[in-house]
Amino acid sequence: MMFSLRLLAATAIVATTVLLASAPATPAKAGWEWLGNKDYIRCLQLFANGDFLMPANATPAQRAAKHEAGRRYCNRQYYGHD
């Protein structure tokens, strides 16, 4: 029993090491630059949290569609694309 636990632990360590070694090295900021754009973040928060555009009896699917439309609006406003 103890041998199989040690073997399992060693296998997990080797698998994790191989997985991490195969990942490409990228700068820490790659893909997260948009977090520095405070106006864009405020726009996203407005559409995510502000339900002023939402009908009172909206279904969850309708709410999700409105939130997605708001996200797309923010992308067009601040980055010129959806």
Side-chain angles (χ1 to χ4, degrees):
M1 177 75 172
M2 187 61 123
F3 175 74
S4 63
L5 287 176
R6 287 182 182 165
L7 182 61
L8 181 63
T11 304
I13 290 171
V14 168
T16 303
T17 304
V18 168
L19 180 65
L20 291 176
S22 68
T26 58
K29 209 174 171 190
W32 298 98
E33 303 88 26
W34 57 272
L35 286 173
N37 188 342
K38 299 302 180 194
D39 292 331
Y40 176 66
I41 297 297
R42 267 189 238 112
C43 182
L44 290 177
Q45 288 172 341
L46 180 67
F47 281 102
N49 302 328
D51 287 340
F52 57 90
L53 296 175
M54 210 64 65
N57 59 348
T59 65
Q62 290 169 330
R63 292 175 64 81
K66 287 281 191 187
H67 288 226
E68 177 64 15
R71 183 193 64 79
R72 293 177 68 150
Y73 168 80
C74 294
N75 285 348
R76 282 191 307 274
Q77 283 297 114
Y78 292 97
Y79 292 106
H81 62 81
D82 282 341

Coordinates of all heavy atoms in Angstrom, one line a residue:
M1 N 0.8 -1.2 0.0 CA 0.0 0.0 0.0 C 0.9 1.3 0.0 O 0.6 2.2 -0.8 CB -0.9 0.0 1.2 CG -1.8 1.2 1.4 SD -3.1 1.1 0.2 CE -4.1 2.5 0.7
M2 N 1.9 1.3 0.9 CA 2.7 2.5 1.0 C 3.5 2.6 -0.3 O 3.7 3.8 -0.8 CB 3.7 2.3 2.2 CG 4.5 3.5 2.4 SD 3.4 4.9 2.8 CE 4.0 5.4 4.4
F3 N 4.0 1.5 -0.9 CA 4.7 1.6 -2.2 C 3.9 2.2 -3.3 O 4.3 3.1 -4.0 CB 5.2 0.2 -2.6 CG 5.9 0.2 -3.9 CD1 7.2 0.7 -4.1 CD2 5.2 -0.3 -5.1 CE1 7.8 0.7 -5.3 CE2 5.9 -0.3 -6.3 CZ 7.1 0.2 -6.4
S4 N 2.6 1.8 -3.4 CA 1.7 2.4 -4.4 C 1.5 3.8 -4.2 O 1.4 4.6 -5.2 CB 0.4 1.6 -4.5 OG -0.3 1.7 -3.3
L5 N 1.4 4.3 -3.0 CA 1.2 5.7 -2.7 C 2.4 6.5 -3.1 O 2.3 7.6 -3.7 CB 0.9 6.0 -1.3 CG -0.6 5.6 -0.8 CD1 -0.7 5.8 0.7 CD2 -1.6 6.3 -1.6
R6 N 3.6 6.0 -2.8 CA 4.8 6.7 -3.2 C 5.0 6.7 -4.7 O 5.4 7.7 -5.3 CB 6.0 6.0 -2.6 CG 6.1 6.2 -1.1 CD 7.4 5.5 -0.6 NE 7.4 5.8 0.9 CZ 8.2 5.1 1.7 NH1 9.0 4.2 1.2 NH2 8.2 5.4 3.0
L7 N 4.6 5.6 -5.4 CA 4.7 5.5 -6.8 C 3.7 6.5 -7.4 O 4.0 7.2 -8.4 CB 4.4 4.1 -7.3 CG 4.4 3.9 -8.8 CD1 5.8 4.2 -9.3 CD2 4.0 2.5 -9.2
L8 N 2.5 6.6 -6.9 CA 1.5 7.6 -7.4 C 2.0 9.0 -7.2 O 1.9 9.8 -8.1 CB 0.2 7.4 -6.7 CG -0.9 8.3 -7.1 CD1 -1.3 8.1 -8.5 CD2 -2.1 8.1 -6.2
A9 N 2.6 9.3 -6.0 CA 3.1 10.7 -5.8 C 4.3 11.0 -6.7 O 4.3 12.1 -7.3 CB 3.5 10.8 -4.3
A10 N 5.2 10.1 -6.9 CA 6.3 10.3 -7.8 C 5.8 10.5 -9.3 O 6.3 11.4 -10.0 CB 7.3 9.1 -7.8
T11 N 4.8 9.7 -9.7 CA 4.3 9.9 -11.0 C 3.6 11.3 -11.2 O 3.8 11.9 -12.2 CB 3.2 8.8 -11.3 OG1 3.9 7.5 -11.1 CG2 2.7 8.8 -12.7
A12 N 2.9 11.7 -10.2 CA 2.2 13.0 -10.2 C 3.3 14.1 -10.3 O 3.1 15.1 -11.1 CB 1.4 13.2 -9.0
I13 N 4.4 14.0 -9.6 CA 5.4 15.0 -9.6 C 6.1 15.1 -11.0 O 6.3 16.1 -11.6 CB 6.4 14.8 -8.5 CG1 5.8 15.1 -7.1 CG2 7.7 15.6 -8.7 CD1 6.6 14.6 -6.0
V14 N 6.4 13.9 -11.5 CA 7.0 13.8 -12.9 C 6.1 14.4 -13.9 O 6.5 15.2 -14.8 CB 7.4 12.4 -13.2 CG1 7.8 12.3 -14.7 CG2 8.6 12.0 -12.3
A15 N 4.8 14.0 -13.9 CA 3.8 14.5 -14.9 C 3.7 16.0 -14.8 O 3.6 16.7 -15.8 CB 2.5 13.9 -14.7
T16 N 3.6 16.6 -13.6 CA 3.5 18.0 -13.4 C 4.8 18.7 -13.9 O 4.7 19.8 -14.6 CB 3.3 18.4 -11.9 OG1 2.1 17.7 -11.5 CG2 3.1 19.9 -11.7
T17 N 5.9 18.2 -13.6 CA 7.2 18.8 -14.1 C 7.2 18.8 -15.6 O 7.6 19.8 -16.2 CB 8.4 18.0 -13.5 OG1 8.3 18.0 -12.1 CG2 9.7 18.7 -13.9
V18 N 6.9 17.7 -16.3 CA 6.9 17.6 -17.7 C 5.9 18.6 -18.3 O 6.2 19.3 -19.3 CB 6.6 16.2 -18.2 CG1 6.3 16.1 -19.7 CG2 7.7 15.2 -17.8
L19 N 4.7 18.7 -17.7 CA 3.7 19.6 -18.2 C 4.2 21.1 -18.1 O 4.1 21.8 -19.1 CB 2.4 19.4 -17.5 CG 1.2 20.3 -17.9 CD1 0.8 20.0 -19.3 CD2 0.1 20.2 -16.9
L20 N 4.7 21.4 -17.0 CA 5.2 22.8 -16.8 C 6.4 23.1 -17.7 O 6.6 24.2 -18.2 CB 5.6 23.1 -15.4 CG 4.4 23.1 -14.4 CD1 4.9 23.2 -13.0 CD2 3.5 24.2 -14.8
A21 N 7.3 22.1 -18.0 CA 8.4 22.3 -18.8 C 8.0 22.5 -20.3 O 8.7 23.2 -21.0 CB 9.4 21.2 -18.7
S22 N 6.9 21.9 -20.7 CA 6.5 22.0 -22.1 C 5.7 23.2 -22.4 O 5.5 23.6 -23.5 CB 5.6 20.7 -22.4 OG 4.4 20.8 -21.7
A23 N 5.3 24.0 -21.4 CA 4.6 25.2 -21.6 C 5.5 26.3 -22.1 O 6.6 26.4 -21.7 CB 3.9 25.7 -20.3
P24 N 5.0 27.0 -23.1 CA 5.9 28.1 -23.7 C 6.0 29.2 -22.6 O 5.1 29.6 -21.9 CB 5.1 28.6 -24.9 CG 3.7 28.2 -24.6 CD 3.7 27.0 -23.8
A25 N 7.2 29.8 -22.6 CA 7.5 30.9 -21.7 C 6.9 32.2 -22.3 O 7.2 32.5 -23.5 CB 9.0 31.1 -21.5
T26 N 6.0 32.8 -21.6 CA 5.4 34.1 -22.1 C 5.6 35.1 -21.0 O 5.7 34.8 -19.8 CB 3.9 33.9 -22.3 OG1 3.3 33.4 -21.1 CG2 3.6 32.9 -23.4
P27 N 5.6 36.4 -21.4 CA 5.7 37.5 -20.4 C 4.5 37.4 -19.5 O 3.4 37.0 -19.9 CB 5.7 38.7 -21.3 CG 5.9 38.3 -22.7 CD 5.6 36.9 -22.8
A28 N 4.7 37.9 -18.3 CA 3.6 37.8 -17.3 C 2.4 38.7 -17.7 O 1.3 38.4 -17.3 CB 4.2 38.3 -16.0
K29 N 2.6 39.7 -18.5 CA 1.5 40.6 -18.8 C 0.8 40.2 -20.1 O -0.2 40.8 -20.4 CB 2.1 42.0 -19.0 CG 1.1 43.1 -18.7 CD 1.8 44.4 -18.7 CE 0.7 45.5 -18.6 NZ 1.2 46.8 -18.9
A30 N 1.3 39.2 -20.8 CA 0.7 38.8 -22.1 C -0.8 38.4 -21.9 O -1.1 37.5 -21.1 CB 1.5 37.7 -22.7
G31 N -1.7 39.0 -22.7 CA -3.1 38.7 -22.6 C -3.8 39.4 -21.6 O -5.1 39.3 -21.5
W32 N -3.2 40.2 -20.7 CA -3.9 40.9 -19.6 C -3.7 42.4 -19.7 O -4.0 43.1 -18.7 CB -3.4 40.4 -18.3 CG -3.6 38.9 -18.1 CD1 -2.7 37.9 -18.3 CD2 -4.8 38.3 -17.6 NE1 -3.3 36.7 -18.0 CE2 -4.6 36.9 -17.6 CE3 -6.1 38.8 -17.3 CZ2 -5.6 36.0 -17.3 CZ3 -7.1 37.9 -17.0 CH2 -6.8 36.5 -16.9
E33 N -3.3 42.9 -20.8 CA -3.1 44.4 -20.9 C -4.4 45.2 -20.7 O -4.3 46.3 -20.2 CB -2.5 44.7 -22.3 CG -1.3 44.0 -22.7 CD -1.5 42.7 -23.4 OE1 -2.6 42.5 -24.0 OE2 -0.6 41.8 -23.3
W34 N -5.5 44.6 -21.1 CA -6.8 45.3 -21.0 C -7.1 45.7 -19.6 O -7.9 46.6 -19.3 CB -7.9 44.5 -21.6 CG -8.0 43.1 -21.1 CD1 -7.4 42.0 -21.5 CD2 -8.9 42.7 -20.0 NE1 -7.8 40.9 -20.7 CE2 -8.7 41.4 -19.8 CE3 -9.8 43.4 -19.2 CZ2 -9.4 40.7 -18.8 CZ3 -10.5 42.7 -18.2 CH2 -10.3 41.3 -18.0
L35 N -6.5 45.0 -18.6 CA -6.8 45.3 -17.2 C -6.3 46.7 -16.8 O -6.8 47.3 -15.8 CB -6.2 44.2 -16.3 CG -6.9 42.9 -16.2 CD1 -6.1 41.9 -15.4 CD2 -8.3 43.0 -15.7
G36 N -5.3 47.2 -17.5 CA -4.8 48.5 -17.3 C -5.7 49.6 -17.8 O -5.5 50.8 -17.5
N37 N -6.6 49.3 -18.7 CA -7.5 50.3 -19.2 C -8.7 50.5 -18.3 O -9.7 49.8 -18.4 CB -8.0 49.8 -20.6 CG -8.7 50.9 -21.4 OD1 -9.2 51.8 -20.8 ND2 -8.8 50.7 -22.7
K38 N -8.6 51.5 -17.4 CA -9.6 51.7 -16.4 C -11.0 52.0 -16.9 O -12.0 51.6 -16.4 CB -9.2 52.7 -15.4 CG -7.9 52.3 -14.6 CD -8.1 51.0 -13.9 CE -6.8 50.6 -13.2 NZ -6.8 49.3 -12.7
D39 N -11.0 52.8 -18.0 CA -12.3 53.2 -18.6 C -13.0 52.0 -19.2 O -14.2 51.8 -19.1 CB -12.1 54.3 -19.7 CG -11.7 55.6 -19.1 OD1 -12.0 55.9 -17.9 OD2 -11.0 56.3 -19.8
Y40 N -12.2 51.1 -19.8 CA -12.8 49.9 -20.4 C -13.3 49.0 -19.3 O -14.4 48.4 -19.4 CB -11.7 49.2 -21.2 CG -12.1 47.8 -21.7 CD1 -13.1 47.7 -22.7 CD2 -11.5 46.6 -21.3 CE1 -13.5 46.5 -23.2 CE2 -11.9 45.4 -21.8 CZ -12.9 45.4 -22.8 OH -13.3 44.1 -23.3
I41 N -12.6 48.9 -18.2 CA -13.1 48.1 -17.0 C -14.4 48.6 -16.5 O -15.3 47.9 -16.2 CB -12.0 48.0 -16.0 CG1 -10.7 47.3 -16.5 CG2 -12.5 47.3 -14.7 CD1 -10.9 45.8 -16.9
R42 N -14.4 50.0 -16.3 CA -15.7 50.6 -15.8 C -16.8 50.3 -16.8 O -17.9 50.1 -16.3 CB -15.5 52.1 -15.7 CG -15.0 52.4 -14.3 CD -15.0 53.9 -14.1 NE -13.7 54.3 -13.7 CZ -12.8 55.0 -14.4 NH1 -13.2 55.5 -15.5 NH2 -11.6 55.2 -13.9
C43 N -16.6 50.4 -18.1 CA -17.6 50.1 -19.0 C -18.1 48.6 -18.9 O -19.3 48.4 -18.8 CB -17.1 50.3 -20.5 SG -18.3 50.0 -21.8
L44 N -17.2 47.7 -18.7 CA -17.6 46.3 -18.5 C -18.4 46.1 -17.2 O -19.4 45.4 -17.2 CB -16.3 45.4 -18.5 CG -15.6 45.2 -19.8 CD1 -14.4 44.3 -19.6 CD2 -16.5 44.6 -20.9
Q45 N -17.9 46.8 -16.2 CA -18.6 46.7 -14.9 C -20.0 47.2 -15.0 O -21.0 46.7 -14.4 CB -17.8 47.3 -13.8 CG -16.6 46.6 -13.4 CD -15.7 47.4 -12.5 OE1 -15.8 48.6 -12.4 NE2 -14.8 46.7 -11.8
L46 N -20.2 48.3 -15.7 CA -21.5 48.9 -15.9 C -22.5 48.0 -16.5 O -23.6 47.8 -16.0 CB -21.3 50.2 -16.7 CG -22.6 51.0 -16.9 CD1 -23.1 51.6 -15.6 CD2 -22.4 52.1 -17.9
F47 N -22.0 47.3 -17.5 CA -22.9 46.4 -18.2 C -23.1 45.1 -17.5 O -24.1 44.4 -17.6 CB -22.5 46.1 -19.7 CG -22.8 47.2 -20.6 CD1 -21.9 48.1 -21.0 CD2 -24.1 47.4 -21.0 CE1 -22.2 49.2 -21.8 CE2 -24.5 48.4 -21.9 CZ -23.5 49.3 -22.3
A48 N -22.1 44.7 -16.7 CA -22.2 43.4 -15.9 C -23.1 43.6 -14.7 O -23.8 42.7 -14.3 CB -20.8 43.0 -15.5
N49 N -23.0 44.8 -14.0 CA -23.7 45.0 -12.7 C -24.9 45.9 -12.9 O -25.8 45.8 -12.0 CB -22.7 45.6 -11.7 CG -21.5 44.7 -11.5 OD1 -21.6 43.5 -11.6 ND2 -20.3 45.3 -11.2
G50 N -24.9 46.8 -13.8 CA -25.9 47.8 -13.9 C -27.1 47.2 -14.7 O -26.9 46.8 -15.9
D51 N -28.2 47.0 -14.1 CA -29.4 46.4 -14.8 C -30.4 47.4 -15.3 O -31.5 47.1 -15.5 CB -30.0 45.4 -13.9 CG -29.2 44.1 -13.7 OD1 -28.3 43.9 -14.6 OD2 -29.4 43.4 -12.7
F52 N -29.9 48.6 -15.5 CA -30.8 49.7 -15.9 C -31.4 49.5 -17.3 O -32.4 50.0 -17.7 CB -30.1 51.1 -15.8 CG -28.9 51.2 -16.6 CD1 -28.9 51.6 -17.9 CD2 -27.7 50.8 -16.0 CE1 -27.7 51.7 -18.6 CE2 -26.5 50.9 -16.8 CZ -26.5 51.3 -18.1
L53 N -30.7 48.7 -18.1 CA -31.2 48.5 -19.5 C -32.0 47.2 -19.6 O -32.5 46.8 -20.6 CB -30.0 48.3 -20.4 CG -29.1 49.6 -20.6 CD1 -27.9 49.2 -21.5 CD2 -29.9 50.7 -21.3
M54 N -32.1 46.5 -18.4 CA -32.7 45.2 -18.4 C -34.2 45.3 -18.2 O -34.7 46.0 -17.2 CB -32.1 44.4 -17.3 CG -32.1 42.9 -17.5 SD -31.1 42.3 -18.8 CE -29.4 42.8 -18.4
P55 N -35.1 44.6 -19.0 CA -36.5 44.6 -18.6 C -36.7 43.9 -17.3 O -35.9 43.0 -16.9 CB -37.1 43.8 -19.8 CG -36.1 43.7 -20.8 CD -34.7 43.9 -20.2
A56 N -37.7 44.3 -16.6 CA -38.0 43.7 -15.2 C -38.2 42.2 -15.3 O -37.9 41.5 -14.3 CB -39.2 44.4 -14.6
N57 N -38.8 41.7 -16.3 CA -39.2 40.3 -16.4 C -38.3 39.5 -17.3 O -38.7 38.5 -17.9 CB -40.6 40.1 -16.8 CG -40.9 40.8 -18.1 OD1 -40.1 41.5 -18.7 ND2 -42.1 40.5 -18.7
A58 N -37.0 39.9 -17.5 CA -36.1 39.3 -18.4 C -35.7 37.9 -17.9 O -35.5 37.7 -16.7 CB -34.8 40.1 -18.6
T59 N -35.7 37.0 -18.8 CA -35.2 35.6 -18.5 C -33.7 35.6 -18.3 O -33.0 36.5 -18.8 CB -35.7 34.6 -19.6 OG1 -34.9 34.9 -20.8 CG2 -37.2 34.6 -19.8
P60 N -33.2 34.5 -17.7 CA -31.7 34.5 -17.6 C -31.0 34.5 -19.0 O -29.9 35.1 -19.2 CB -31.5 33.1 -16.9 CG -32.7 32.9 -16.1 CD -33.8 33.5 -16.9
A61 N -31.6 33.9 -20.0 CA -31.0 33.9 -21.4 C -31.0 35.4 -21.9 O -30.1 35.8 -22.6 CB -31.8 33.0 -22.3
Q62 N -32.1 36.1 -21.7 CA -32.2 37.5 -22.1 C -31.2 38.4 -21.4 O -30.6 39.2 -22.0 CB -33.6 38.0 -22.0 CG -34.6 37.4 -22.9 CD -36.1 37.8 -22.5 OE1 -36.4 38.0 -21.3 NE2 -36.9 37.9 -23.5
R63 N -31.0 38.1 -20.1 CA -30.0 38.9 -19.3 C -28.6 38.6 -19.9 O -27.8 39.5 -20.0 CB -30.1 38.5 -17.9 CG -31.4 38.9 -17.2 CD -31.5 38.5 -15.8 NE -30.5 39.0 -14.9 CZ -30.6 40.2 -14.4 NH1 -31.6 41.0 -14.6 NH2 -29.6 40.7 -13.6
A64 N -28.3 37.3 -20.1 CA -27.0 37.0 -20.7 C -26.8 37.6 -22.0 O -25.7 38.1 -22.3 CB -26.9 35.5 -20.8
A65 N -27.8 37.7 -22.9 CA -27.7 38.3 -24.2 C -27.4 39.8 -24.0 O -26.6 40.4 -24.8 CB -28.9 38.0 -25.0
K66 N -28.1 40.5 -23.1 CA -27.9 41.9 -22.9 C -26.5 42.1 -22.3 O -25.8 43.1 -22.7 CB -28.9 42.5 -21.9 CG -30.3 42.6 -22.4 CD -30.3 43.9 -23.3 CE -31.8 44.2 -23.6 NZ -31.9 45.2 -24.5
H67 N -26.0 41.3 -21.4 CA -24.6 41.4 -20.9 C -23.6 41.2 -22.0 O -22.6 41.9 -22.1 CB -24.4 40.5 -19.7 CG -25.2 40.9 -18.5 ND1 -24.6 40.9 -17.3 CD2 -26.4 41.3 -18.3 CE1 -25.4 41.3 -16.4 NE2 -26.6 41.5 -17.0
E68 N -23.8 40.3 -22.9 CA -22.9 40.0 -24.0 C -22.9 41.2 -25.0 O -21.9 41.6 -25.4 CB -23.3 38.7 -24.7 CG -22.5 38.4 -25.9 CD -21.0 38.1 -25.6 OE1 -20.7 37.9 -24.4 OE2 -20.2 38.2 -26.5
A69 N -24.1 41.8 -25.2 CA -24.2 42.9 -26.1 C -23.4 44.1 -25.5 O -22.8 44.9 -26.2 CB -25.7 43.3 -26.3
G70 N -23.5 44.3 -24.2 CA -22.8 45.3 -23.5 C -21.3 45.1 -23.6 O -20.5 46.1 -23.8
R71 N -20.8 43.9 -23.4 CA -19.4 43.6 -23.5 C -18.9 43.9 -24.9 O -17.9 44.5 -25.1 CB -19.1 42.1 -23.2 CG -17.7 41.7 -23.2 CD -17.4 40.2 -23.2 NE -18.0 39.6 -24.4 CZ -17.4 39.6 -25.6 NH1 -16.2 40.2 -25.8 NH2 -17.9 39.0 -26.6
R72 N -19.7 43.5 -25.9 CA -19.3 43.8 -27.3 C -19.3 45.3 -27.6 O -18.4 45.8 -28.3 CB -20.3 43.1 -28.3 CG -20.1 41.6 -28.2 CD -21.1 40.9 -29.1 NE -20.7 41.2 -30.4 CZ -20.9 40.4 -31.5 NH1 -21.5 39.3 -31.3 NH2 -20.5 40.8 -32.6
Y73 N -20.2 46.1 -27.0 CA -20.2 47.5 -27.1 C -18.9 48.1 -26.5 O -18.3 49.0 -27.1 CB -21.4 48.1 -26.4 CG -21.4 49.6 -26.2 CD1 -21.7 50.5 -27.2 CD2 -20.9 50.2 -25.0 CE1 -21.6 51.8 -27.1 CE2 -20.8 51.5 -24.9 CZ -21.2 52.4 -25.9 OH -21.1 53.7 -25.8
C74 N -18.5 47.7 -25.3 CA -17.3 48.1 -24.7 C -16.1 47.8 -25.6 O -15.2 48.7 -25.7 CB -17.1 47.5 -23.3 SG -18.4 48.1 -22.1
N75 N -16.1 46.6 -26.2 CA -15.0 46.3 -27.0 C -14.9 47.2 -28.2 O -13.8 47.6 -28.6 CB -15.1 44.8 -27.5 CG -14.7 43.8 -26.4 OD1 -14.2 44.2 -25.4 ND2 -15.1 42.6 -26.7
R76 N -16.1 47.5 -28.8 CA -16.1 48.4 -30.0 C -15.6 49.8 -29.6 O -14.9 50.5 -30.3 CB -17.5 48.5 -30.6 CG -17.8 47.3 -31.5 CD -19.0 47.5 -32.3 NE -20.2 47.9 -31.5 CZ -21.0 47.0 -30.9 NH1 -20.8 45.7 -31.0 NH2 -22.0 47.4 -30.2
Q77 N -16.1 50.3 -28.5 CA -15.8 51.6 -28.0 C -14.3 51.8 -27.7 O -13.7 52.8 -28.1 CB -16.5 52.0 -26.7 CG -18.0 52.3 -26.9 CD -18.2 53.6 -27.7 OE1 -18.7 53.5 -28.8 NE2 -17.8 54.7 -27.2
Y78 N -13.7 50.9 -27.1 CA -12.3 51.0 -26.6 C -11.2 50.3 -27.4 O -10.1 50.7 -27.4 CB -12.2 50.6 -25.1 CG -13.0 51.5 -24.2 CD1 -14.3 51.3 -23.8 CD2 -12.4 52.8 -23.8 CE1 -15.0 52.1 -23.0 CE2 -13.1 53.6 -23.1 CZ -14.4 53.3 -22.7 OH -15.1 54.2 -21.9
Y79 N -11.6 49.3 -28.2 CA -10.6 48.6 -29.0 C -11.0 48.5 -30.5 O -10.2 48.0 -31.3 CB -10.4 47.2 -28.4 CG -9.7 47.3 -27.1 CD1 -10.5 47.0 -25.9 CD2 -8.4 47.7 -27.0 CE1 -9.9 47.2 -24.7 CE2 -7.8 47.8 -25.7 CZ -8.5 47.5 -24.6 OH -7.9 47.6 -23.4
G80 N -12.2 49.0 -30.9 CA -12.5 49.0 -32.3 C -12.9 47.7 -32.9 O -12.9 47.5 -34.1
H81 N -13.2 46.7 -32.1 CA -13.6 45.4 -32.6 C -14.6 44.7 -31.6 O -14.7 45.2 -30.5 CB -12.5 44.5 -32.9 CG -11.6 44.1 -31.7 ND1 -12.0 43.2 -30.8 CD2 -10.5 44.7 -31.3 CE1 -11.1 43.1 -29.8 NE2 -10.2 44.0 -30.1
D82 N -15.3 43.7 -32.0 CA -16.1 42.9 -31.1 C -15.2 42.0 -30.4 O -15.4 41.4 -29.5 CB -17.2 42.2 -31.9 CG -18.3 43.1 -32.3 OD1 -18.4 44.2 -31.7 OD2 -19.1 42.8 -33.2

